[in-house]
Amino acid sequence: MHPKAAFTRPERYLCFMESYDVIVIGSGPGGYVAAIRAAQLGKKTALIEKYSSLGGTCLNVGCIPSKALLDSSEHYHQALHQFDAHGIGTGELKLDFKRMIARKAEVVGQTVGGIDFLMKKNGIDVLNGFGSFVDANTIEVKPSKGKASKVQGSHIILATGSKPASLPFIKIDKKRIITSTEALSLEALPKSMVVIGGGVIGLEMGSVYARLGTEVHVVEYQDAIIPTMDRSMGKELMRSMKKLGVKFHLQHGVKDVKASGKNVTVKADDKKGKEVSWTADYCLVSVGRKPYTEGLNLEAAGLTTDDRGRIEVNDQMRTAVPHIFAIGDVVRGAMLAHKAEEEGVVAAEVIAGEHPHIDYNLIPNVVYTWPEVAGVGQTEEQLKASQTPYKSGSFPFKASGRARASMDTDGSIKVLAHADTDEILGVHMCGPRAADMIAEAVVAMEFRATAEDISRMSHAHPTFTEAIKEAALAATGNRALHV
């Protein structure tokens, strides 16, 4: 019998505090996956979410809606610039921006609805409200309306994610100076936009609007875009995005952002110290994200955060309090949805007495522009810095028959292998379907394959993945066949 069934009189129910084996705070990819895995392992599980919809940033205002707009904008761009070459006449092409935004919302709704289904299927109690610690085992849940309640958990998993970061002198008004959240729901297509930050979020959103006809300026403090990925891939992507009309301003330090009426002015110093400025309809601030732990009352549970606001954990995702775990954007490492999912599974399985592990070197990183960029393992810059002996092989998509057939010839694939053992140390790609193709590299590296192994595998012809084989051939004695 469910514990609640024993209490039929309201006054007795008010005195009852539900107890769970596992309480997960936060319903993003890490949180809801952790809850599902815990339930699969037979644990009585509750999921606490402060918003009315599940899925966290990723499903509601991040990964899913941005990909919906990326796909829609790419379809429009192809219709405008490529259909004629295929012999397809479209007549007068019209852009219904409001319909595009509405479709994005529909995709989000369907995806979030799927998470609701999964919670019911796995018998997980969903508690709507803001969760915070009363003590190390007790969580208070405050709904947006009504009275707060308390629940107890033998184990607690913190999966509260992150929120957009900013610069100290920038006041985000969510009207003209915006984050990616607002950029996903603009009411009308802007004529111009300044994007501060040449990382994943800025480039993805910038490419959406550039394809639709917006004049986009990307202002980046460092000397390269997507600087944490292999530098050669950043160069490939920048060349491709310039074809969309995106203007890049590298090594520029933004120093002032001011909104006035229907415009915003951004001022920066270039690498020589000269002031430059841009005036646009919007300024998208995309300088990264920061862990979100505000209001959790961590001190009541005996927890603290480091100087970057992260909760420290060990390899099992345990915090300093052994029965409390933390995963995803609130702990060290890349802020990636799939990384959070893997950590959620680890936390749930450790709670159940199992012994899982994560190889963080084999978690891929992806930029969903078009062409896409993806990488796994060590970059060439990292190998040089660690003085690891390596060899490199590359293959351009312009030499791929499949890429020529689809008119997707921008970009290349690079395979990095150990100079002595030939073991694959990193694979990096900028090109069509890179986000999907990177999985082949992850599998190969998981089983410690060599470049020779990949070069001997039969790849169907014609496919984009043939480029991986060709790059592996190039890394093993310059044996590429089709270039």
Side-chain angles (χ1 to χ4, degrees), residues 355-417:
H355 303 281
H357 77 282
I358 298 176
D359 185 344
Y360 285 95
N361 185 55
L362 298 186
I363 292 180
N365 203 352
V366 179
V367 186
Y368 293 89
T369 47
W370 196 264
E372 295 172 332
V373 182
V376 65
Q378 300 292 292
T379 66
E380 192 159 0
E381 292 73 31
Q382 289 172 326
L383 293 175
K384 288 178 179 178
S386 63
Q387 297 184 330
T388 301
Y390 73 94
K391 51 190 178 178
S392 173
S394 297
F395 187 81
F397 277 102
K398 65 182 178 182
S400 162
R402 181 68 184 86
R404 285 194 295 270
S406 65
M407 299 178 69
D408 292 307
T409 56
D410 285 353
S412 64
I413 292 182
K414 177 195 287 188
V415 172
L416 302 170

Side-chain angles (χ1 to χ4, degrees), residues 323-336:
H323 72 276
I324 301 176
F325 297 71
I327 63 172
D329 290 2
V330 294
V331 302
R332 76 286 185 271
M335 291 184 173
L336 300 169

Side-chain angles (χ1 to χ4, degrees), residues 55-77:
T57 294
C58 179
L59 273 62
N60 289 276
V61 291
C63 318
I64 300 302
S66 64
K67 304 314 166 281
L69 286 184
L70 282 159
D71 280 345
S72 293
S73 63
E74 179 60 19
H75 290 320
Y76 175 77
H77 184 262

Side-chain angles (χ1 to χ4, degrees), residues 192-197 202 206 214-220 245-249 277-280 282 284:
S192 55
M193 177 182 289
V194 174
V195 178
I196 300 177
T214 301
E215 179 184 317
V216 175
H217 292 263
V218 175
V219 185
E220 168 58 46
V246 177
K247 297 175 177 62
F248 291 92
H249 310 277
S277 65
W278 306 268
T279 298
Y282 292 95
L284 169 60

Side-chain angles (χ1 to χ4, degrees), residues 111-437:
T111 308
V112 170
I115 306 304
D116 292 335
F117 166 78
L118 291 173
M119 296 302 101
K120 294 175 183 177
K121 174 188 174 183
N122 288 281
I124 297 165
D125 287 350
V126 176
L127 310 177
N128 286 111
F130 191 96
S132 60
F133 284 101
V134 175
D135 56 45
N137 289 92
T138 307
I139 303 296
E140 182 179 62
V141 183
K142 294 181 180 179
S144 57
K145 295 181 180 179
K147 295 182 178 180
S149 61
K150 294 178 183 178
V151 289
Q152 287 189 322
S154 299
H155 300 88
I156 296 165
I157 301 175
L158 300 176
T160 48
S162 61
K163 62 180 182 179
S166 185
L167 298 173
F169 54 86
I170 298 178
K171 181 180 180 181
I172 296 174
D173 61 15
K174 299 185 179 182
K175 295 178 181 178
R176 293 292 160 182
I177 305 173
I178 61 176
T179 69
S180 57
T181 299
E182 294 77 43
L184 289 165
S185 300
L186 296 180
E187 295 183 357
L189 181 67
K191 292 182 180 180
S192 55
M193 177 182 289
V194 174
V195 178
I196 300 177
V200 176
I201 296 173
L203 296 182
E204 288 184 357
M205 295 310 304
S207 68
V208 165
Y209 285 102
R211 290 171 190 162
L212 299 178
T214 301
E215 179 184 317
V216 175
H217 292 263
V218 175
V219 185
E220 168 58 46
Y221 182 74
Q222 297 195 50
D223 63 353
I225 60 172
I226 49 173
T228 60
M229 301 184 76
D230 192 277
R231 288 296 180 100
S232 62
M233 298 300 111
K235 292 177 181 178
E236 295 269 16
L237 179 60
M238 189 161 69
R239 278 195 292 267
S240 184
M241 289 186 67
K242 282 182 177 179
K243 295 179 183 179
L244 295 175
V246 177
K247 297 175 177 62
F248 291 92
H249 310 277
L250 305 181
Q251 292 181 281
H252 280 61
V254 175
K255 62 181 184 180
D256 187 58
V257 180
K258 287 286 189 300
S260 177
K262 294 184 178 181
N263 297 110
V264 57
T265 299
V266 178
K267 294 181 180 180
D269 289 332
D270 66 13
K271 61 182 178 181
K272 296 181 180 179
K274 180 182 177 182
E275 182 180 281
V276 292
S277 65
W278 306 268
T279 298
D281 293 346
Y282 292 95
C283 174
L284 169 60
V285 181
S286 55
V287 294
R289 300 180 65 85
K290 57 184 179 181
Y292 182 69
T293 59
E294 295 172 18
L296 280 175
N297 196 23
L298 295 174
E299 297 80 6
L303 296 174
T304 58
T305 58
D306 65 13
D307 58 354
R308 296 177 63 180
R310 302 172 302 188
I311 301 171
E312 294 187 12
V313 293
N314 63 13
D315 291 342
Q316 295 183 325
M317 312 316 299
R318 289 185 192 270
T319 67
V321 181
H323 72 276
I324 301 176
F325 297 71
I327 63 172
D329 290 2
V330 294
V331 302
R332 76 286 185 271
M335 291 184 173
L336 300 169
H338 47 284
K339 176 251 195 188
E341 289 184 10
E342 298 302 326
E343 291 176 338
V345 169
V346 165
E349 291 181 349
V350 167
I351 289 170
E354 298 185 2
H355 303 281
H357 77 282
I358 298 176
D359 185 344
Y360 285 95
N361 185 55
L362 298 186
I363 292 180
N365 203 352
V366 179
V367 186
Y368 293 89
T369 47
W370 196 264
E372 295 172 332
V373 182
V376 65
Q378 300 292 292
T379 66
E380 192 159 0
E381 292 73 31
Q382 289 172 326
L383 293 175
K384 288 178 179 178
S386 63
Q387 297 184 330
T388 301
Y390 73 94
K391 51 190 178 178
S392 173
S394 297
F395 187 81
F397 277 102
K398 65 182 178 182
S400 162
R402 181 68 184 86
R404 285 194 295 270
S406 65
M407 299 178 69
D408 292 307
T409 56
D410 285 353
S412 64
I413 292 182
K414 177 195 287 188
V415 172
L416 302 170
H418 197 284
D420 300 325
T421 67
D422 196 40
E423 181 178 347
I424 297 173
L425 303 176
V427 178
H428 308 279
M429 54 186 75
C430 175
R433 300 301 172 201
D436 299 303
M437 290 195 293

